[in-house]
Amino acid sequence: MKQLLAFIGFLFFIQGNGFTQKLYLLKPDRVFDGTAIYEGWSVLVQGEKIIAVGEPKNVEEAAKNLQTSGKSAPQIIDLKGCTLLPGFIEGHSHLFLHPYNETTWDDQVLKEARSLRTVRATLHAKQTLMAGFTTVRDLGTEGAEFDDVGLKQAINQGIIPGPRMVIATKALIATGSYAPKGFSPDIEVPQGAEEADGHDRLIQAVRRQIGKGADVVKIYADYRWGLMGDARPTFLVDEIKLIVETARSSGRPTIAHAGSTEGMRRAILGGCETLEHGDAGTPEIFSLMHEKGVALCPTLAAGDAVSQYRGWKKGIEPEPERIKNKRITFKQALDAGVTICFGGDVGVFSHGDNAREMEMMVDYGMKPLDVLRSATSVNANVFHLSQLGNVKTNFWADLVAVEGRPEEHISDVRKIKFVMKNGEIFRNEPSLSPKSAK
Ligand SMILES: [Zn+2]
């Protein structure tokens, strides 16, 4: 008993002295706080949180005040030549997929063991975090069942390095509408998402996915189904409304894969919060999105990658019709004032190469500063991540530093020098990493 009391006393001692809560003073050249650039700012991190941000003398004052109350001096992280930003938030990933030019989507779903896919996913998670993406909204395991639940838990328990995950588990499809397809109608082929239709089955499927771990419910509002090659709507508006209402009653949002004009319209009217892809959007559809506060996740990089996998020689041959149209509709969405989520559908192309979407957003007409906002504060807001995506006092200490000025040259986001998630340093190149020093 005496020993136990002594141990509890020791716990209070280390708590009170802050031994358990590491203190870091980050000194970059400038800070992008999620909205604007501030030259010369510093940031103080204690434990898992940002506790001060602003002019160096104010931040150092805050650190000194902590020292007088018994805490040790902060470890200084010198980030000279760097811009410090909130950890990037990938809006559309599939950690259980790898690029289709390595293995087709069909073969990944039908021929790869789930254990193989999980091993790959652990590597993808690490690559994503090391590239500065401290959060991902992972929109479906594509046939790997509920394996994103265990992946998320492994990351949260510190078993493997990886980003925070917002997960969709299996996603919902209308019967007959998804893939793999093209087989004899006489055989049943396992699908890349869960089939459900009608009142009771839809409610059950939504609740089952949520019960097993889905943070967000994903539906396919349209797809290329049957023998016709083009995307056609799947769920009825009433079915989408039912899914949205069922998910919302548990506090979860619903989002939609929607590429066709009618699929987009139904997803908007049904109450989905973001539309993924949106290739056949029109000025009318985009103004409806703006009016209803529905965000667009354009996945420019996925279309670009798939076109190249199909043989387009980018930079040598003229842009295919699909790419030309995507430039037009993306511009229409911007002109309509639609909220743009950064999300590339990474998995179609390499994990860790998430910045490709940022570069394409600039190439397709968005200002670099707006792209940085999209990948941080805008995504945090749209995805209901209230303590992320900003460098603000009392927010989670998810921070990245890149060499250069990404607000001028977007590709500077690739020059990652420092990655912190939840106050823990995962990458620190200018100085000796505290992790490796241990
Ligand atoms: Zn996707």
Side-chain angles (χ1 to χ4, degrees):
M1 188 64 192
K2 219 175 184 179
Q3 269 176 331
L4 182 67
L5 283 175
F7 180 64
I8 291 169
F10 175 69
L11 282 182
F12 276 112
F13 171 75
I14 58 171
Q15 199 81 32
N17 282 270
F19 286 134
T20 51
Q21 294 215 309
K22 282 203 124 180
L23 205 57
Y24 294 106
L25 177 59
L26 312 181
K27 298 171 90 168
D29 278 6
R30 65 192 75 81
V31 170
F32 170 71
D33 71 345
T35 308
I37 303 278
Y38 297 92
E39 294 293 332
W41 273 20
S42 295
V43 174
L44 189 64
V45 170
Q46 183 183 25
E48 301 171 324
K49 294 279 183 87
I50 296 163
I51 59 162
V53 51
E55 296 292 339
K57 66 172 171 32
N58 298 338
V59 173
E60 277 159 34
E61 190 72 23
K64 273 201 196 99
N65 290 342
L66 284 173
Q67 272 170 265
T68 53
S69 64
K71 291 204 165 48
S72 49
Q75 182 181 338
I76 292 169
I77 310 281
D78 183 8
L79 296 164
K80 212 160 174 38
C82 290
T83 303
L84 187 79
L85 307 99
F88 299 125
I89 301 171
E90 168 62 56
H92 189 139
S93 68
H94 296 280
L95 292 178
F96 284 85
L97 290 175
H98 62 105
Y100 302 170
N101 59 338
E102 295 171 8
T103 308
T104 64
W105 182 90
D106 277 25
D107 282 356
Q108 292 186 46
V109 173
L110 294 175
K111 295 183 181 171
E112 289 185 351
R114 277 168 54 198
S115 51
L116 170 62
R117 298 185 67 185
T118 300
V119 172
R120 277 192 192 277
T122 62
L123 193 66
H124 297 156
K126 183 179 179 184
Q127 289 163 339
T128 303
L129 180 64
M130 293 310 167
F133 295 80
T134 53
T135 302
V136 297
R137 190 177 63 148
D138 203 64
L139 294 181
T141 60
E142 308 286 346
E145 299 291 313
F146 295 97
D147 294 346
D148 51 350
V149 176
L151 181 68
K152 174 177 171 165
Q153 288 172 324
I155 293 167
N156 288 351
Q157 290 171 26
I159 298 166
I160 56 162
R164 295 174 192 273
M165 289 182 75
V166 174
I167 58 172
T169 70
K170 292 170 78 167
L172 283 171
I173 47 173
T175 295
S177 68
Y178 199 44
K181 60 179 179 305
F183 296 87
S184 157
D186 305 318
I187 55 168
E188 291 299 323
V189 176
Q191 294 292 285
E194 183 174 3
E195 289 184 329
D197 325 81
H199 187 273
D200 293 3
R201 291 210 32 213
L202 277 174
I203 290 181
Q204 282 167 12
V206 170
R207 289 179 179 159
R208 183 164 47 245
Q209 292 189 6
I210 288 172
K212 288 181 187 286
D215 302 306
V216 54
V217 172
K218 181 188 187 183
I219 66 161
Y220 284 77
D222 52 31
Y223 210 74
R224 305 175 300 277
W225 53 319
L227 296 181
M228 291 185 278
D230 56 341
R232 297 288 174 99
T234 55
F235 293 113
L236 307 173
V237 177
D238 281 345
E239 287 179 309
I240 298 175
K241 280 183 178 161
L242 182 68
I243 293 165
V244 168
E245 193 186 349
T246 307
R248 190 176 284 158
S249 80
S250 81
R252 270 89 169 179
T254 301
I255 67 100
H257 164 111
S260 67
T261 312
E262 176 60 15
M264 291 177 77
R265 194 184 68 83
R266 290 189 196 178
I268 299 162
L269 296 178
C272 295
E273 294 193 7
T274 72
L275 300 192
E276 310 303 306
H277 318 300
D279 288 24
T282 61
E284 292 72 31
I285 287 289
F286 291 128
S287 78
L288 188 63
M289 287 180 77
H290 179 66
E291 181 195 319
K292 303 272 184 198
V294 178
L296 175 70
C297 189
T299 67
L300 307 174
D304 179 78
V306 167
S307 295
Q308 292 184 63
Y309 300 159
R310 288 178 184 159
W312 171 44
K313 293 187 177 57
K314 190 176 179 176
I316 297 167
E317 294 173 359
E319 291 187 336
E321 216 53 34
R322 175 181 180 171
I323 302 291
K324 281 186 198 152
N325 285 339
K326 191 69 181 173
R327 283 186 184 274
I328 293 167
T329 57
F330 184 64
K331 181 75 172 39
Q332 288 170 345
L334 289 177
D335 291 345
V338 175
T339 301
I340 305 289
C341 289
F342 157 79
D345 211 353
V346 59
V348 174
F349 56 99
S350 297
H351 295 282
D353 194 22
N354 311 60
R356 183 165 170 179
E357 178 76 8
M358 291 195 205
E359 292 165 340
M360 297 207 56
M361 288 163 93
V362 172
D363 182 32
Y364 282 31
M366 215 165 155
K367 291 189 187 75
L369 194 63
D370 286 335
V371 172
L372 296 178
R373 288 175 182 141
S374 175
T376 57
S377 58
V378 170
N379 271 5
N381 186 42
V382 174
F383 305 160
H384 310 279
L385 305 168
S386 61
Q387 304 250 269
L388 291 171
N390 294 269
V391 185
K392 279 188 187 161
T393 304
N394 287 325
F395 274 53
W396 298 115
D398 285 15
L399 298 162
V400 300
V402 302
E403 211 170 44
R405 294 176 176 269
E407 79 279 15
E408 288 171 13
H409 311 286
I410 196 66
S411 292
D412 286 353
V413 295
R414 293 182 180 277
K415 298 179 188 162
I416 292 280
K417 293 289 160 189
F418 176 84
V419 177
M420 172 180 271
K421 190 191 81 175
N422 213 37
E424 190 182 344
I425 296 171
F426 287 88
R427 190 166 170 177
N428 186 14
E429 281 167 17
S431 57
L432 189 67
S433 158
K435 285 206 103 172
S436 58
K438 263 197 277 198

